[in-house]
Amino acid sequence: MVDAARPTAGGRHAATRVLSRNESSHSPSPDIVATVAASGREVNRYPDPACTGLTLALARRHGVEPDRVAVGAGSCALLQALFQLAGPGAPVVHAWRSFEYYPILAGQMGICSERVPLADDAHDLTAMADRITATTRLVVICNPNNPTGTLIGLDRLRAFLDRTPPTCLVALDEAYFEYVDEPVGTGGLGLCDTYPNLVVLRTFSKAYGLAGLRIGYLIGAPRIVASLRELSLPYAVSGPAQHAAVAALGIEEVLLARVRETIAERTRVRAALMADGFAVPASQANFVWLGLGEDAGPFGRWCARTGIELRAFDGDGIRVSIGSPSDNDALLAAAHQWRVPDAPELLTTGAVR
Ligand SMILES: *Cc1c(COP(=O)(O)O)cnc(C)c1O
């Protein structure tokens, strides 16, 4: 039974359809639940500070030496360490609009964030390279981009890296890598040998369905990995998180089958929205972007009244996470009603605009 006084995950009302945080819509598999329960028996002890088992499993998984893998309490913790490493003296270059946490981090660290506007909803790597000076210490590239879902291919990444001085770190945030279905190779990891200033961030929060456990990782040159490890908080990654991540790597096939379902839903949702006249850039992530401009806020509130939580960026656009088929159906009904107000009543709430 749900205790009404007790907030559910994320502090939301239980009835809300949550399409705002790009979480996996699938409940954790029984293997993961059992692993977390079992590791609960040891929470009187501090966890392994070096995340040894997971580091070795990730090194094996990606065919790299363990000294090239840094594990963090979510990839956000590793991003924070990267910004800290860059230091307050030089600006950080990133695209905009992109992941909202980048400028927040820069603000927290007293770093100036240089926002390079997207071109056609995608990173403008030429403009970004033009911004880099001899003092630039860090560039962040979100690929696929959150919140627009657009992907830049490896050929263009390579051209960008060729223009970047080795003194400037390039952080490639691949939080949505598993949702890419374009034949673009294997992501940025294959470039790390050629470009030692490149680090690649991945997370267990999205495709691996462990957002609530806070765990992510980075692969890069041993020198950078060692610096990041020195900056981490003691025991930041919990035991249940470490064990669950190892277990998730063990059932990767199951999780990637779920990712394929999400990709199929993404295709369906985008097509239906476009049929209703929304402009929706092709997405390679587990969300789609509606560049509604001034209508973003009103559309977000319209959906909220029907019990659907989206991520609205006022005056700019709406990010819609791909959820379960029934949550997606509810979203599509609300969007259709918004777009075609004279259509037969599709909503059950009787909400008015
Ligand atoms: C969700 C997301 C992350 C993952 O953050 P965690 O701290 O690992 O949960 C990182 N980068 C981007 C762009 C994201 O959207």
Side-chain angles (χ1 to χ4, degrees):
M1 220 188 95
V2 179
D3 176 355
R6 207 165 139 248
T8 55
R12 312 156 178 118
H13 188 269
T16 307
R17 297 180 189 270
V18 180
L19 299 178
S20 57
R21 295 190 180 181
N22 300 344
E23 297 151 335
S24 169
S25 59
H26 295 89
S27 307
S29 78
D31 294 325
I32 300 293
V33 175
T35 302
V36 172
S39 55
R41 288 198 286 269
E42 298 172 352
V43 292
N44 58 314
R45 303 289 179 189
Y46 282 115
D48 172 6
C51 302
T52 312
L54 178 58
T55 302
L56 289 175
L58 286 168
R60 254 197 315 277
R61 167 71 180 75
H62 292 295
V64 298
E65 293 299 318
D67 64 355
R68 295 184 53 193
V69 181
V71 175
S75 49
C76 287
L78 293 161
L79 281 167
Q80 185 182 46
L82 284 169
F83 275 61
Q84 213 175 327
L85 207 59
V92 169
V93 174
H94 62 83
W96 199 250
R97 183 172 288 280
S98 190
F99 189 31
E100 64 260 42
Y101 190 49
Y102 304 148
I104 291 173
L105 258 181
Q108 287 173 354
M109 304 270 166
I111 298 175
C112 163
S113 92
E114 285 215 18
R115 307 172 192 195
V116 181
L118 300 175
D120 287 333
D121 298 314
H123 278 65
D124 184 346
L125 287 187
T126 307
M128 289 180 77
D130 288 343
R131 283 295 179 96
I132 297 172
T133 69
T135 60
T136 310
R137 290 278 164 272
L138 178 63
V139 179
V140 187
I141 296 174
C142 188
N143 202 37
N145 187 43
N146 176 2
T148 55
T150 50
L151 182 80
I152 39 177
L154 285 189
D155 45 341
R156 288 173 53 209
L157 259 182
R158 249 188 234 103
F160 173 82
L161 289 160
D162 284 334
R163 285 190 60 190
T164 309
T167 47
C168 176
L169 217 62
V170 177
L172 188 61
D173 186 344
E174 294 190 332
Y176 301 97
F177 169 73
E178 293 82 5
Y179 298 97
V180 173
D181 67 348
E182 276 185 12
V184 286
T186 52
L189 281 182
L191 300 177
C192 286
D193 285 336
T194 315
Y195 304 96
N197 57 330
L198 176 70
V199 296
V200 177
L201 293 134
R202 300 268 181 94
T203 181
F204 285 95
S205 295
K206 310 287 161 57
Y208 291 83
L210 302 181
L213 287 174
R214 313 304 306 124
I215 191 153
Y217 62 100
L218 169 151
I219 294 181
R223 182 179 55 83
I224 303 167
V225 166
S227 306
L228 294 172
R229 287 179 180 164
E230 279 172 23
L231 287 172
S232 65
L233 288 171
Y235 308 111
V237 182
S238 75
Q242 294 183 38
H243 292 300
V246 172
L249 288 173
I251 55 163
E252 221 167 22
E253 277 319 307
V254 175
L255 298 177
L256 294 181
R258 293 172 163 197
V259 164
R260 286 192 289 277
E261 287 173 25
T262 302
I263 291 174
E265 280 294 285
R266 174 179 79 200
T267 305
R268 179 176 80 90
V269 167
R270 176 168 182 249
L273 289 169
M274 289 175 73
D276 271 342
F278 289 91
V280 192
S283 170
Q284 289 290 302
N286 66 345
F287 52 83
V288 293
W289 173 248
L290 308 177
L292 291 168
E294 290 308 316
D295 276 344
F299 180 71
R301 290 188 286 279
W302 163 256
C303 289
R305 281 201 297 274
T306 72
I308 304 167
E309 185 184 292
L310 305 176
R311 184 73 175 89
F313 300 96
D314 273 346
D316 194 355
I318 294 260
R319 191 188 66 201
V320 182
S321 304
I322 302 299
S324 67
S326 95
D327 286 356
N328 299 335
D329 283 343
L331 177 271
L332 291 176
H336 184 74
Q337 193 75 36
W338 164 271
R339 208 68 196 185
V340 195
D342 298 332
E345 186 66 44
L346 290 167
L347 303 173
T348 51
T349 57
V352 285
R353 271 165 100 167

